[in-house]
């Protein structure tokens, strides 16, 4: 499913890509595949970032980063770079508000 999401994302068909990423996440969660969930959430976050759905993108990227920092510092650093790009694209108060909202939801 993850690969189908990538395929549709590359074709510019965001809705189909998101559908397949979400299906992949569901399957990966059933299999307790934390690494797979993290990688798919990262891809979904990048897709949402391109669509300027910044709150959803940040949530996906934070989840991916939390898992990947335990298994792959290189990928975790790439995700931090994407989070910083969203931070640069938003006014500081908007970014801070989103991060607070995500922290409360997770906390």
């Amino acid at each position: 499913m993850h690969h189908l999401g990538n395929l549709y994302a590359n074709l510019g068909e965001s809705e189909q890509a998101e559908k397949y990423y979400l299906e992949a996440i569901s399957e990966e969660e059933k299999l307790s595949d934390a690494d797979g969930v993290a990688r798919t959430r990262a891809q979904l976050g990048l897709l949402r970032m391109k669509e300027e759905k910044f709150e959803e993108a940040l949530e996906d990227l934070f989840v991916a980063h939390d898992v990947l920092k335990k298994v792959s510092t290189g990928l975790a650093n790439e995700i931090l770079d994407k989070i910083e790009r969203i931070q640069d694209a938003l006014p500081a108060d908007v970014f801070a508000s989103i991060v607070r909202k995500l922290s409360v939801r997770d906390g």
Side-chain angles (χ1 to χ4, degrees), residues 28-91:
E28 291 158 347
E29 287 174 343
K30 287 177 190 173
L31 296 170
S32 299
D33 179 5
D35 185 63
V37 170
R39 291 171 190 274
T40 305
R41 290 288 296 256
Q43 289 299 124
L44 182 57
L46 294 176
L47 177 73
R48 289 173 168 170
M49 187 175 149
K50 287 178 188 172
E51 295 179 328
E52 297 186 359
K53 296 178 180 177
F54 295 124
E55 185 171 339
E56 292 170 303
L58 282 170
E59 181 176 7
D60 293 321
L61 294 171
F62 280 131
V63 168
H65 179 262
D66 285 345
V67 173
L68 290 173
K69 70 183 177 186
K70 298 172 189 165
V71 295
S72 174
T73 52
L75 284 175
N77 288 338
E78 287 181 39
I79 290 178
L80 275 179
D81 179 60
K82 305 305 182 212
I83 292 169
E84 289 171 359
R85 286 178 49 196
I86 292 173
Q87 184 177 14
D88 292 343
L90 295 174

